[in-house]
């Protein structure tokens, strides 16, 4: 049974870097594509980017200058870093399995950007 | 980007009745070389992981009740839920994966 669990700070200050971890069980991060997606009040669901089983990344052009997705195969985790956040980055952040079709999702990690 | 537009934004139906949710893409998501529509539907409930219901516009994920039916091609798609149950209360999203993935704005389903 594949399970994904996001974790990280619930509060980030404007201009700082948002950092989240996705812990995967029931599948290896080395065997599939994985993505980060967010759900915000203003924009709905937005795909941020994906990482392949070989570590190749693909990012949404809208976020490409600020986002980094990377794996930690020893811990079977994925990380998301989003730099220079503003209040518009307040959202629930999900990790999901898949490149562009998302078969399994985590429950999401709520992040508030506020000073 | 391909813009996905859902209608209505919300709907309320009685238990046992049918719910119909529409999704329109700003350009075709049909890939003619394999005749597949790159369109998926998801169900989002509070405190639960989002759930993939349908992909290729009409293929149900294993375990999804056959009350959920996806249809359409090209730019116009429909999610039909027959015999609506209380457990179906959720927000439903369409998503295209023909290009950079984009989602509709969501349709909230409530019980009347």
């Amino acid at each position: 049974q594949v399970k994904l669990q996001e974790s990280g700070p619930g509060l980030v200050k404007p201009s700082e870097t948002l950092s989240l971890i996705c812990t995967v069980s029931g599948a290896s991060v080395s065997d599939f594509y994985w993505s980060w997606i967010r759900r915000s009040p203003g924009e709905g669901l937005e795909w941020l980017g994906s990482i392949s089983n070989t570590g190749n990344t693909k990012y949404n052009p809208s976020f490409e200058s600020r986002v980094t997705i990377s794996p930690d195969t020893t811990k079977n985790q994925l990380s998301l870093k989003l730099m220079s956040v503003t209040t518009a980055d307040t959202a629930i952040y999900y990790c999901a399995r898949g490149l562009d079709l998302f078969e399994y999702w985590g429950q999401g990690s709520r992040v508030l950007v506020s000073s | 980007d391909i813009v996905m537009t859902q209608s209505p934004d919300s709907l309320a139906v009685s238990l046992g009745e049918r719910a119909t949710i529409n999704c329109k893409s700003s350009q075709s998501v049909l890939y003619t070389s394999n005749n597949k529509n790159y369109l998926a539907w998801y169900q989002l409930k509070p405190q639960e992981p989002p759930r993939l219901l349908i992909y290729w516009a009409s293929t149900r994920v294993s375990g999804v009740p056959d009350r959920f039916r996806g249809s359409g091609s090209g730019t116009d798609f429909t999610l039909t839920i027959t015999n609506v149950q209380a457990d179906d209360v959720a927000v439903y999203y369409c998503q295209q994966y023909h290009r950079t993935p984009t989602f509709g704005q969501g349709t909230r389903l409530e019980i009347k």
Side-chain angles (χ1 to χ4, degrees):
Chain A
Q1 186 181 6
V2 180
K3 286 194 173 181
L4 297 82
Q5 180 66 58
E6 303 89 347
S7 58
L11 179 64
V12 181
K13 289 182 167 54
S15 81
E16 296 189 344
T17 296
L18 179 161
S19 295
L20 295 173
I21 295 289
C22 174
T23 301
V24 179
S25 59
S28 171
V29 298
S30 302
D31 291 341
F32 296 93
Y33 278 83
W34 306 89
S35 292
W36 284 92
I37 297 155
R38 74 181 189 182
R39 184 185 185 195
S40 61
E43 299 293 332
L45 284 168
E46 295 178 290
W47 172 76
L48 300 176
S50 303
I51 187 164
S52 75
N53 56 329
T54 57
N56 293 321
T57 52
K58 184 176 177 184
Y59 298 127
N60 185 326
S62 298
F63 299 96
E64 192 156 20
S65 63
R66 318 193 274 135
V67 69
T68 303
I69 296 174
S70 57
D72 183 336
T73 55
T74 62
K75 295 181 180 178
N76 212 37
Q77 293 176 335
L78 305 154
S79 74
L80 170 73
K81 293 189 187 302
L82 185 65
M83 299 186 300
S84 305
V85 298
T86 70
T87 55
D89 295 310
T90 292
I92 300 172
Y93 287 78
Y94 301 95
C95 57
R97 193 174 90 176
L99 170 63
D100 50 15
L101 177 65
F102 311 111
E103 186 180 7
Y104 298 101
W105 298 59
Q107 267 193 286
S109 180
R110 191 177 296 268
V111 178
L112 173 66
V113 178
S114 175
S115 54
Chain B
D1 282 3
I2 298 178
V3 177
M4 308 299 290
T5 304
Q6 291 181 229
S7 62
D9 288 335
S10 65
L11 76 162
V13 303
S14 301
L15 290 172
E17 295 297 306
R18 177 164 58 191
T20 301
I21 300 170
N22 300 301
C23 174
K24 189 173 184 67
S25 57
S26 61
Q27 56 185 273
S28 176
V29 299
L30 172 64
Y31 193 38
T32 53
S33 66
N34 60 9
N35 200 36
K36 287 185 180 293
N37 287 282
Y38 285 59
L39 190 285
W41 290 95
Y42 298 87
Q43 179 190 62
L44 270 71
K45 295 183 180 180
Q47 310 306 320
E48 290 187 19
R51 182 188 186 191
L52 174 64
L53 298 174
I54 287 168
Y55 57 100
W56 299 135
S58 61
T59 302
R60 264 189 310 276
V61 172
S62 175
V64 173
D66 59 7
R67 302 185 294 102
F68 291 84
R69 179 175 177 268
S71 62
S73 184
T75 61
D76 292 279
F77 300 90
T78 300
L79 175 68
T80 303
I81 310 170
T82 56
N83 187 21
V84 166
Q85 304 296 303
D87 190 52
D88 299 335
V89 169
V91 182
Y92 293 86
Y93 290 86
C94 61
Q95 178 234 328
Q96 64 79 23
Y97 48 105
H98 185 51
R99 298 278 187 265
T100 299
T102 52
F103 295 83
Q105 80 277 17
T107 296
R108 185 175 300 276
L109 174 63
E110 299 172 333
I111 302 299
K112 195 183 294 183

